[in-house]
């Protein structure tokens, strides 16, 4: 656990010591703000809870995109720069490397989400929403972001560079995002399976409406764990190839 | 028991053997050099010893721990400098070394002490707070050595440590490696023969993935360099050439006049006859200005060993296709 923390802290430092982290935060906040003004806050009368649900809907997309950008470099950059050798020749397990890297990106994405809190705060000032609704939405944004990070981290383990890692992460994200579309055109049992595997549709809606759904929390944790363990295996197999 | 032991190590990429049947042992405190042409398999051997590349066959151990099965233990015993130092350009030297120390199990209470020690050993005081991305190649190489030393490992593995260094930096790196003698067991690779002979107690010559010879410089010369060319520069000395030709073991002599009345004599002989030749020169009454071996004896041995294999050029091309410094 200590090694995971050491790896995560260094990685987190690199987000703040380079332009990368600031650019991601700035871009996400600007786009979030524009979408909030353009779609969530409209001239039509709306309940505050509906405005908040719309905000979470747009923020979920940004959370996934930010997750891809945050995770694409995690291991691909280490391979590109040759710094991965430091891990391979230190008493560190592949699991510690993967979980340390993952933790750093998740913490950074939490910072990103925290920076967007002013928007729900504005709704709270001008309307009536519950703190629970805000909390449920942010829990889901965090879980969705972490899931995308786990997808892209696997791609980053396998890809030779950051660009390929980003494309791989985006492919996995879009695939699991659009599975619900596929579920509409296939018969049972695939219909239910594809619908259940889709990371946004049915799993996201309860949270955006202010409900913390335990089964959906378990689903996101399951997806994250599965893809992180795939990354561990991918890194372990690198030892055979050099 | 030897500190480092490799038994029948092999590494295959498909049908291509990067190394095959390599066995050697290294005692505690030795500085051993792997000498070979580019693509000979030196880096593959070091990567296997560093426990981040699994061998296809055979096994290697450090302090009795298998590089394949006890990787974590082996990694705590070694310091490794790859051909490109693993540096994070956005970090500064001291925070980077602190990070590596923690990663390599140095207790928190000893981190500062260890970092200060390696900074002093590698002469990094002047750049201790400089960003790694701003360092010159020589300093980056020193930081690379510092990260390998920070946890005070038993074994130091250095892959081409003088690659790309200028002559002054090469001398500094050589002194640094020599200063580690006795406290650490060092195994380093290079394709620069003169450096290997200056820093290493023992040399392992690798060619086409195989260990073709091992020993110290004298051993290798005695074993493989049967002929030696001795160069003389003398003035005067009646009948010297005939006298030299009469020496047992001298195969041929060639005389060339040079400036100021001096004569240059090249003597091809079997074995090292320098002492006998010097005696003959003195006995002839000639003034001796120079007596030396032609070139490096080990260089001749090395060239002989690596040139005996056929298809060298094809092999070089094959290595590039596989895509890395093997």
């Amino acid at each position: 656990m200590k090694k995971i923390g050491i790896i995560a802290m260094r990685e987190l430092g690199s987000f703040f010591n380079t332009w990368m982290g600031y650019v991601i935060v700035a871009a996400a906040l600007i786009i979030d703000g524009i979408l909030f003004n353009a779609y969530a806050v409209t001239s039509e009368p709306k309940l505050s809870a509906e405005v908040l649900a719309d905000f979470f809907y747009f923020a979920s997309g940004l959370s996934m995109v930010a997750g891809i950008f945050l995770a694409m470099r995690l291991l691909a950059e280490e391979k590109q720069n040759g710094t991965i050798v430091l891990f391979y020749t230190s008493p560190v397990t592949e699991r510690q490397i993967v979980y340390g890297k993952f933790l750093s990106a998740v913490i950074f994405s939490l910072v990103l989400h925290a920076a967007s809190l002013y928007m729900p705060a504005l709704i709270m000032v001008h309307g009536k929403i519950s703190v629970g609704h805000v909390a449920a939405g942010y829990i889901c944004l965090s879980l969705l972001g972490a899931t995308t990070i786990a997808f892209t981290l696997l791609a980053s383990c396998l890809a030779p560079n950051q660009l390929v890692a980003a494309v791989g992460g985006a492919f996995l994200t879009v695939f699991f995002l659009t599975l619900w579309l596929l579920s509409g055109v296939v018969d049972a049992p695939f219909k239910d399976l594809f619908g259940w595997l889709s990371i946004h549709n049915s799993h996201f809606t309860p949270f955006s409406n202010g409900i913390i759904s335990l089964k959906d929390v378990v689903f996101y944790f399951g997806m994250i764990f599965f893809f992180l363990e795939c990354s561990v295996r991918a890194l372990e197999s690198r030892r055979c190839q050099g | 028991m030897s500190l480092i032991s490799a038994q029948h190590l092999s590494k295959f990429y498909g049908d291509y053997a990067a190394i095959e049947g390599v066995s050697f042992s290294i005692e505690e405190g030795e500085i051993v050099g792997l000498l070979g042409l580019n693509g000979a398999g030196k880096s593959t051997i070091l990567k296997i010893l560093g426990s981040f590349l699994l061998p296809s066959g055979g096994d290697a151990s450090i302090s009795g721990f298998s590089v394949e099965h006890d990787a974590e233990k082996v990694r705590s015993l070694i310091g490794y400098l790859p051909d490109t130092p693993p540096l994070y350009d956005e970090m500064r030297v001291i925070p980077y070394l602190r990070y590596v120390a923690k990663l390599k199990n140095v207790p928190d209470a000893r981190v500062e002490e260890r970092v200060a020690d390696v900074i002093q050993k590698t002469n990094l005081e002047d750049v201790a707070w400089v960003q790694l991305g701003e360092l010159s190649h020589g300093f980056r190489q020193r930081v690379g050595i510092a990260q390998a030393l920070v946890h005070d490992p038993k074994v130091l593995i250095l892959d081409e440590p003088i690659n790309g260094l200028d002559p002054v930096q090469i001398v500094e790196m050589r002194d640094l490696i020599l200063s580690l003698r006795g406290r650490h067991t060092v195994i380093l690779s290079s394709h620069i023969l003169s450096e290997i002979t200056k820093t290493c107690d023992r040399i392992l010559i690798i060619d086409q993935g195989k260990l073709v010879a091992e020993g110290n410089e004298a051993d290798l010369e005695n074993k493989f360099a049967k002929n030696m060319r001795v160069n003389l520069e003398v003035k005067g000395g009646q009948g010297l050439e005939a006298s030299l030709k009469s020496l047992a073991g001298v195969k041929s002599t060639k005389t060339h006049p040079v400036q100021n009345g001096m004569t240059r004599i090249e003597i091809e002989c079997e074995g090292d006859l320098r002492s006998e030749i010097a005696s003959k020169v003195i006995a002839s009454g000639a003034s001796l200005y120079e007596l030396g071996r032609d070139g490096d004896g080990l260089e001749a041995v090395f060239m002989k060993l690596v040139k005996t294999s056929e298809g060298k050029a094809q092999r070089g091309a094959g290595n590039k296709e596989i895509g890395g410094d093997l």
Side-chain angles (χ1 to χ4, degrees), chain B residues 248-274:
Chain B
V250 170
K251 292 165 81 178
S252 67
T253 60
K254 271 186 198 167
T255 304
H256 311 280
V258 287
Q259 57 191 3
N260 302 329
M262 285 200 282
T263 308
R264 182 178 180 81
I265 307 174
E266 292 172 7
I267 307 156
E268 289 281 345
C269 51
E270 286 177 2
D272 189 354
L273 296 179
R274 282 175 294 177

PDB file of all heavy atoms in Angstrom, chain B residues 248-274:
ATOM      1  N   ALA B 248      64.765 -16.914 -30.838  1.00  0.00           N
ATOM      2  CA  ALA B 248      63.751 -17.968 -30.998  1.00  0.00           C
ATOM      3  C   ALA B 248      62.374 -17.348 -30.817  1.00  0.00           C
ATOM      4  O   ALA B 248      62.142 -16.637 -29.840  1.00  0.00           O
ATOM      5  CB  ALA B 248      63.979 -19.047 -29.962  1.00  0.00           C
ATOM      6  N   GLY B 249      61.492 -17.585 -31.775  1.00  0.00           N
ATOM      7  CA  GLY B 249      60.134 -17.046 -31.675  1.00  0.00           C
ATOM      8  C   GLY B 249      59.892 -15.863 -32.588  1.00  0.00           C
ATOM      9  O   GLY B 249      58.742 -15.503 -32.846  1.00  0.00           O
ATOM     10  N   VAL B 250      60.979 -15.254 -33.095  1.00  0.00           N
ATOM     11  CA  VAL B 250      60.785 -14.127 -34.015  1.00  0.00           C
ATOM     12  C   VAL B 250      60.501 -14.691 -35.406  1.00  0.00           C
ATOM     13  O   VAL B 250      61.264 -15.492 -35.928  1.00  0.00           O
ATOM     14  CB  VAL B 250      62.029 -13.206 -34.045  1.00  0.00           C
ATOM     15  CG1 VAL B 250      61.917 -12.181 -35.174  1.00  0.00           C
ATOM     16  CG2 VAL B 250      62.176 -12.501 -32.709  1.00  0.00           C
ATOM     17  N   LYS B 251      59.344 -14.256 -35.977  1.00  0.00           N
ATOM     18  CA  LYS B 251      58.967 -14.797 -37.278  1.00  0.00           C
ATOM     19  C   LYS B 251      59.474 -13.935 -38.432  1.00  0.00           C
ATOM     20  O   LYS B 251      59.873 -14.446 -39.456  1.00  0.00           O
ATOM     21  CB  LYS B 251      57.438 -14.916 -37.355  1.00  0.00           C
ATOM     22  CG  LYS B 251      56.908 -15.991 -36.407  1.00  0.00           C
ATOM     23  CD  LYS B 251      55.429 -15.880 -36.201  1.00  0.00           C
ATOM     24  CE  LYS B 251      54.669 -16.508 -37.345  1.00  0.00           C
ATOM     25  NZ  LYS B 251      53.216 -16.438 -37.103  1.00  0.00           N
ATOM     26  N   SER B 252      59.430 -12.619 -38.229  1.00  0.00           N
ATOM     27  CA  SER B 252      59.926 -11.746 -39.296  1.00  0.00           C
ATOM     28  C   SER B 252      60.237 -10.367 -38.726  1.00  0.00           C
ATOM     29  O   SER B 252      59.743 -10.011 -37.645  1.00  0.00           O
ATOM     30  CB  SER B 252      58.882 -11.616 -40.407  1.00  0.00           C
ATOM     31  OG  SER B 252      57.758 -10.922 -39.902  1.00  0.00           O
ATOM     32  N   THR B 253      61.051  -9.630 -39.451  1.00  0.00           N
ATOM     33  CA  THR B 253      61.334  -8.238 -39.061  1.00  0.00           C
ATOM     34  C   THR B 253      61.252  -7.369 -40.305  1.00  0.00           C
ATOM     35  O   THR B 253      61.495  -7.833 -41.416  1.00  0.00           O
ATOM     36  CB  THR B 253      62.744  -8.086 -38.444  1.00  0.00           C
ATOM     37  OG1 THR B 253      63.698  -8.493 -39.421  1.00  0.00           O
ATOM     38  CG2 THR B 253      62.910  -8.906 -37.187  1.00  0.00           C
ATOM     39  N   LYS B 254      60.870  -6.085 -40.083  1.00  0.00           N
ATOM     40  CA  LYS B 254      60.850  -5.118 -41.183  1.00  0.00           C
ATOM     41  C   LYS B 254      61.494  -3.852 -40.681  1.00  0.00           C
ATOM     42  O   LYS B 254      61.174  -3.387 -39.571  1.00  0.00           O
ATOM     43  CB  LYS B 254      59.400  -4.800 -41.585  1.00  0.00           C
ATOM     44  CG  LYS B 254      58.829  -5.695 -42.622  1.00  0.00           C
ATOM     45  CD  LYS B 254      57.452  -5.175 -43.022  1.00  0.00           C
ATOM     46  CE  LYS B 254      56.675  -6.257 -43.725  1.00  0.00           C
ATOM     47  NZ  LYS B 254      55.269  -5.901 -43.844  1.00  0.00           N
ATOM     48  N   THR B 255      62.397  -3.282 -41.479  1.00  0.00           N
ATOM     49  CA  THR B 255      63.097  -2.069 -41.045  1.00  0.00           C
ATOM     50  C   THR B 255      62.695  -0.894 -41.932  1.00  0.00           C
ATOM     51  O   THR B 255      62.628  -1.025 -43.159  1.00  0.00           O
ATOM     52  CB  THR B 255      64.623  -2.293 -41.136  1.00  0.00           C
ATOM     53  OG1 THR B 255      64.945  -3.437 -40.358  1.00  0.00           O
ATOM     54  CG2 THR B 255      65.383  -1.091 -40.606  1.00  0.00           C
ATOM     55  N   HIS B 256      62.377   0.219 -41.290  1.00  0.00           N
ATOM     56  CA  HIS B 256      62.043   1.440 -42.029  1.00  0.00           C
ATOM     57  C   HIS B 256      62.892   2.577 -41.471  1.00  0.00           C
ATOM     58  O   HIS B 256      62.827   2.824 -40.253  1.00  0.00           O
ATOM     59  CB  HIS B 256      60.563   1.834 -41.821  1.00  0.00           C
ATOM     60  CG  HIS B 256      59.615   0.713 -42.026  1.00  0.00           C
ATOM     61  ND1 HIS B 256      59.211   0.302 -43.266  1.00  0.00           N
ATOM     62  CD2 HIS B 256      58.991  -0.111 -41.135  1.00  0.00           C
ATOM     63  CE1 HIS B 256      58.365  -0.700 -43.133  1.00  0.00           C
ATOM     64  NE2 HIS B 256      58.217  -0.972 -41.843  1.00  0.00           N
ATOM     65  N   PRO B 257      63.635   3.280 -42.321  1.00  0.00           N
ATOM     66  CA  PRO B 257      64.356   4.448 -41.809  1.00  0.00           C
ATOM     67  C   PRO B 257      63.385   5.580 -41.492  1.00  0.00           C
ATOM     68  O   PRO B 257      62.412   5.773 -42.226  1.00  0.00           O
ATOM     69  CB  PRO B 257      65.283   4.823 -42.973  1.00  0.00           C
ATOM     70  CG  PRO B 257      64.727   4.164 -44.172  1.00  0.00           C
ATOM     71  CD  PRO B 257      63.886   3.026 -43.746  1.00  0.00           C
ATOM     72  N   VAL B 258      63.597   6.229 -40.377  1.00  0.00           N
ATOM     73  CA  VAL B 258      62.788   7.414 -40.043  1.00  0.00           C
ATOM     74  C   VAL B 258      63.735   8.597 -39.860  1.00  0.00           C
ATOM     75  O   VAL B 258      64.936   8.459 -40.029  1.00  0.00           O
ATOM     76  CB  VAL B 258      61.898   7.195 -38.795  1.00  0.00           C
ATOM     77  CG1 VAL B 258      60.744   6.285 -39.110  1.00  0.00           C
ATOM     78  CG2 VAL B 258      62.707   6.665 -37.643  1.00  0.00           C
ATOM     79  N   GLN B 259      63.229   9.755 -39.473  1.00  0.00           N
ATOM     80  CA  GLN B 259      64.046  10.966 -39.437  1.00  0.00           C
ATOM     81  C   GLN B 259      65.127  10.924 -38.350  1.00  0.00           C
ATOM     82  O   GLN B 259      65.055  10.098 -37.431  1.00  0.00           O
ATOM     83  CB  GLN B 259      63.144  12.179 -39.229  1.00  0.00           C
ATOM     84  CG  GLN B 259      62.307  12.077 -37.972  1.00  0.00           C
ATOM     85  CD  GLN B 259      61.246  13.148 -37.916  1.00  0.00           C
ATOM     86  OE1 GLN B 259      61.109  13.933 -38.842  1.00  0.00           O
ATOM     87  NE2 GLN B 259      60.527  13.183 -36.823  1.00  0.00           N
ATOM     88  N   ASN B 260      66.112  11.819 -38.494  1.00  0.00           N
ATOM     89  CA  ASN B 260      67.199  11.998 -37.525  1.00  0.00           C
ATOM     90  C   ASN B 260      68.058  10.747 -37.339  1.00  0.00           C
ATOM     91  O   ASN B 260      68.540  10.471 -36.224  1.00  0.00           O
ATOM     92  CB  ASN B 260      66.674  12.450 -36.153  1.00  0.00           C
ATOM     93  CG  ASN B 260      65.893  13.748 -36.257  1.00  0.00           C
ATOM     94  OD1 ASN B 260      66.194  14.578 -37.118  1.00  0.00           O
ATOM     95  ND2 ASN B 260      64.884  13.892 -35.414  1.00  0.00           N
ATOM     96  N   GLY B 261      68.179   9.963 -38.392  1.00  0.00           N
ATOM     97  CA  GLY B 261      69.044   8.790 -38.328  1.00  0.00           C
ATOM     98  C   GLY B 261      68.479   7.634 -37.539  1.00  0.00           C
ATOM     99  O   GLY B 261      69.169   6.655 -37.261  1.00  0.00           O
ATOM    100  N   MET B 262      67.236   7.741 -37.183  1.00  0.00           N
ATOM    101  CA  MET B 262      66.635   6.640 -36.407  1.00  0.00           C
ATOM    102  C   MET B 262      66.043   5.593 -37.334  1.00  0.00           C
ATOM    103  O   MET B 262      65.733   5.866 -38.498  1.00  0.00           O
ATOM    104  CB  MET B 262      65.553   7.182 -35.479  1.00  0.00           C
ATOM    105  CG  MET B 262      66.143   7.905 -34.279  1.00  0.00           C
ATOM    106  SD  MET B 262      64.992   8.037 -32.935  1.00  0.00           S
ATOM    107  CE  MET B 262      63.973   9.345 -33.483  1.00  0.00           C
ATOM    108  N   THR B 263      65.881   4.407 -36.802  1.00  0.00           N
ATOM    109  CA  THR B 263      65.324   3.301 -37.582  1.00  0.00           C
ATOM    110  C   THR B 263      64.140   2.717 -36.825  1.00  0.00           C
ATOM    111  O   THR B 263      64.182   2.582 -35.590  1.00  0.00           O
ATOM    112  CB  THR B 263      66.390   2.192 -37.749  1.00  0.00           C
ATOM    113  OG1 THR B 263      67.571   2.787 -38.243  1.00  0.00           O
ATOM    114  CG2 THR B 263      65.904   1.105 -38.696  1.00  0.00           C
ATOM    115  N   ARG B 264      63.122   2.413 -37.582  1.00  0.00           N
ATOM    116  CA  ARG B 264      61.949   1.773 -36.976  1.00  0.00           C
ATOM    117  C   ARG B 264      61.958   0.304 -37.396  1.00  0.00           C
ATOM    118  O   ARG B 264      62.060  -0.001 -38.585  1.00  0.00           O
ATOM    119  CB  ARG B 264      60.684   2.462 -37.449  1.00  0.00           C
ATOM    120  CG  ARG B 264      59.415   1.912 -36.858  1.00  0.00           C
ATOM    121  CD  ARG B 264      58.209   2.706 -37.356  1.00  0.00           C
ATOM    122  NE  ARG B 264      56.996   2.167 -36.793  1.00  0.00           N
ATOM    123  CZ  ARG B 264      56.543   2.446 -35.575  1.00  0.00           C
ATOM    124  NH1 ARG B 264      57.196   3.286 -34.802  1.00  0.00           N
ATOM    125  NH2 ARG B 264      55.436   1.889 -35.127  1.00  0.00           N
ATOM    126  N   ILE B 265      61.865  -0.585 -36.429  1.00  0.00           N
ATOM    127  CA  ILE B 265      61.873  -2.016 -36.741  1.00  0.00           C
ATOM    128  C   ILE B 265      60.565  -2.642 -36.232  1.00  0.00           C
ATOM    129  O   ILE B 265      60.213  -2.466 -35.057  1.00  0.00           O
ATOM    130  CB  ILE B 265      63.072  -2.744 -36.082  1.00  0.00           C
ATOM    131  CG1 ILE B 265      64.377  -2.040 -36.448  1.00  0.00           C
ATOM    132  CG2 ILE B 265      63.115  -4.213 -36.491  1.00  0.00           C
ATOM    133  CD1 ILE B 265      65.603  -2.588 -35.732  1.00  0.00           C
ATOM    134  N   GLU B 266      59.864  -3.296 -37.132  1.00  0.00           N
ATOM    135  CA  GLU B 266      58.637  -4.012 -36.742  1.00  0.00           C
ATOM    136  C   GLU B 266      58.968  -5.498 -36.666  1.00  0.00           C
ATOM    137  O   GLU B 266      59.476  -6.069 -37.632  1.00  0.00           O
ATOM    138  CB  GLU B 266      57.536  -3.789 -37.777  1.00  0.00           C
ATOM    139  CG  GLU B 266      57.032  -2.356 -37.805  1.00  0.00           C
ATOM    140  CD  GLU B 266      56.077  -2.103 -38.971  1.00  0.00           C
ATOM    141  OE1 GLU B 266      55.711  -3.088 -39.670  1.00  0.00           O
ATOM    142  OE2 GLU B 266      55.738  -0.937 -39.167  1.00  0.00           O
ATOM    143  N   ILE B 267      58.697  -6.090 -35.519  1.00  0.00           N
ATOM    144  CA  ILE B 267      59.065  -7.496 -35.308  1.00  0.00           C
ATOM    145  C   ILE B 267      57.797  -8.317 -35.062  1.00  0.00           C
ATOM    146  O   ILE B 267      57.029  -8.024 -34.147  1.00  0.00           O
ATOM    147  CB  ILE B 267      59.998  -7.642 -34.079  1.00  0.00           C
ATOM    148  CG1 ILE B 267      61.187  -6.692 -34.240  1.00  0.00           C
ATOM    149  CG2 ILE B 267      60.456  -9.079 -33.888  1.00  0.00           C
ATOM    150  CD1 ILE B 267      61.818  -6.327 -32.918  1.00  0.00           C
ATOM    151  N   GLU B 268      57.559  -9.285 -35.901  1.00  0.00           N
ATOM    152  CA  GLU B 268      56.446 -10.227 -35.680  1.00  0.00           C
ATOM    153  C   GLU B 268      56.989 -11.395 -34.881  1.00  0.00           C
ATOM    154  O   GLU B 268      57.975 -12.026 -35.290  1.00  0.00           O
ATOM    155  CB  GLU B 268      55.917 -10.761 -37.017  1.00  0.00           C
ATOM    156  CG  GLU B 268      55.167  -9.777 -37.864  1.00  0.00           C
ATOM    157  CD  GLU B 268      53.728  -9.550 -37.413  1.00  0.00           C
ATOM    158  OE1 GLU B 268      53.231 -10.369 -36.612  1.00  0.00           O
ATOM    159  OE2 GLU B 268      53.144  -8.548 -37.833  1.00  0.00           O
ATOM    160  N   CYS B 269      56.405 -11.690 -33.757  1.00  0.00           N
ATOM    161  CA  CYS B 269      56.939 -12.801 -32.968  1.00  0.00           C
ATOM    162  C   CYS B 269      55.828 -13.621 -32.326  1.00  0.00           C
ATOM    163  O   CYS B 269      54.685 -13.164 -32.221  1.00  0.00           O
ATOM    164  CB  CYS B 269      57.902 -12.286 -31.905  1.00  0.00           C
ATOM    165  SG  CYS B 269      57.239 -10.963 -30.927  1.00  0.00           S
ATOM    166  N   GLU B 270      56.164 -14.801 -31.904  1.00  0.00           N
ATOM    167  CA  GLU B 270      55.210 -15.674 -31.215  1.00  0.00           C
ATOM    168  C   GLU B 270      55.353 -15.419 -29.726  1.00  0.00           C
ATOM    169  O   GLU B 270      56.429 -15.619 -29.167  1.00  0.00           O
ATOM    170  CB  GLU B 270      55.511 -17.146 -31.520  1.00  0.00           C
ATOM    171  CG  GLU B 270      55.108 -17.556 -32.917  1.00  0.00           C
ATOM    172  CD  GLU B 270      55.478 -18.995 -33.219  1.00  0.00           C
ATOM    173  OE1 GLU B 270      56.013 -19.678 -32.324  1.00  0.00           O
ATOM    174  OE2 GLU B 270      55.249 -19.439 -34.350  1.00  0.00           O
ATOM    175  N   GLY B 271      54.296 -14.992 -29.093  1.00  0.00           N
ATOM    176  CA  GLY B 271      54.351 -14.714 -27.656  1.00  0.00           C
ATOM    177  C   GLY B 271      55.000 -13.366 -27.365  1.00  0.00           C
ATOM    178  O   GLY B 271      55.367 -12.607 -28.270  1.00  0.00           O
ATOM    179  N   ASP B 272      55.157 -13.091 -26.086  1.00  0.00           N
ATOM    180  CA  ASP B 272      55.664 -11.784 -25.648  1.00  0.00           C
ATOM    181  C   ASP B 272      57.189 -11.849 -25.506  1.00  0.00           C
ATOM    182  O   ASP B 272      57.711 -12.408 -24.529  1.00  0.00           O
ATOM    183  CB  ASP B 272      55.001 -11.416 -24.317  1.00  0.00           C
ATOM    184  CG  ASP B 272      55.312  -9.991 -23.904  1.00  0.00           C
ATOM    185  OD1 ASP B 272      56.126  -9.334 -24.589  1.00  0.00           O
ATOM    186  OD2 ASP B 272      54.732  -9.537 -22.903  1.00  0.00           O
ATOM    187  N   LEU B 273      57.918 -11.309 -26.486  1.00  0.00           N
ATOM    188  CA  LEU B 273      59.394 -11.355 -26.456  1.00  0.00           C
ATOM    189  C   LEU B 273      59.997  -9.980 -26.167  1.00  0.00           C
ATOM    190  O   LEU B 273      61.164  -9.724 -26.479  1.00  0.00           O
ATOM    191  CB  LEU B 273      59.937 -11.870 -27.802  1.00  0.00           C
ATOM    192  CG  LEU B 273      59.574 -13.302 -28.191  1.00  0.00           C
ATOM    193  CD1 LEU B 273      60.179 -13.632 -29.543  1.00  0.00           C
ATOM    194  CD2 LEU B 273      60.084 -14.300 -27.153  1.00  0.00           C
ATOM    195  N   ARG B 274      59.200  -9.071 -25.604  1.00  0.00           N
ATOM    196  CA  ARG B 274      59.687  -7.692 -25.438  1.00  0.00           C
ATOM    197  C   ARG B 274      60.960  -7.620 -24.591  1.00  0.00           C
ATOM    198  O   ARG B 274      61.865  -6.856 -24.875  1.00  0.00           O
ATOM    199  CB  ARG B 274      58.583  -6.823 -24.828  1.00  0.00           C
ATOM    200  CG  ARG B 274      57.532  -6.420 -25.840  1.00  0.00           C
ATOM    201  CD  ARG B 274      56.396  -5.676 -25.216  1.00  0.00           C
ATOM    202  NE  ARG B 274      55.625  -6.536 -24.308  1.00  0.00           N
ATOM    203  CZ  ARG B 274      54.600  -6.111 -23.592  1.00  0.00           C
ATOM    204  NH1 ARG B 274      54.242  -4.848 -23.660  1.00  0.00           N
ATOM    205  NH2 ARG B 274      53.940  -6.937 -22.814  1.00  0.00           N
TER     206      ARG B 274
END
